[in-house]
Amino acid sequence: MALDHALIFFLRGALVMGCAVAGLFFVRFYRQARDRLFLLFAAAFWVLGLNWVVLAFYRVTQETRHYAFIVRLVAFLILLVAIVDKNRERSE
């Protein structure tokens, strides 16, 4: 049981690190291209990373589980806004 908890904690830490690194890559791409798409993608990945931090350090019950999904929904909405914004920019 303790090994399972430690493994989950480790994997969530890896997910946080992956999201942070992906966000940093998108910031670097934003600096090179000055394209809003990359900045919004970085923000979305950092929101996802924040979600994994919260899940790693706080006990999530059945009653509070929907809050984690709301945070993920915000991240995916940021991605959707970024894509729509980029496509709208091309059509104008």
Side-chain angles (χ1 to χ4, degrees):
M1 182 73 174
L3 181 61
D4 292 339
H5 184 67
L7 181 62
I8 290 171
F9 193 74
F10 172 78
L11 290 175
R12 286 183 179 161
L15 286 167
V16 170
M17 183 207 54
C19 289
V21 168
L24 289 174
F25 271 112
F26 281 117
V27 167
R28 188 180 83 182
F29 297 147
Y30 169 75
R31 284 184 167 179
Q32 292 172 354
R34 293 289 179 204
D35 192 353
R36 241 184 343 235
L37 175 83
F38 297 128
L39 200 58
L40 289 171
F41 267 54
F45 274 100
W46 287 336
V47 169
L48 285 172
L50 177 67
N51 176 60
W52 291 116
V53 167
V54 169
L55 288 176
F57 288 110
Y58 294 103
R59 176 163 285 220
V60 178
T61 63
Q62 291 291 2
E63 292 81 26
T64 60
R65 191 174 173 168
H66 62 279
Y67 293 119
F69 291 113
I70 291 172
V71 174
R72 289 182 210 157
L73 177 65
V74 167
F76 287 113
L77 286 175
I78 292 171
L79 290 173
L80 187 63
V81 165
I83 292 168
V84 168
D85 181 55
K86 183 66 174 178
N87 287 328
R88 178 185 282 168
E89 188 177 285
R90 285 185 186 168
S91 66
E92 290 179 356

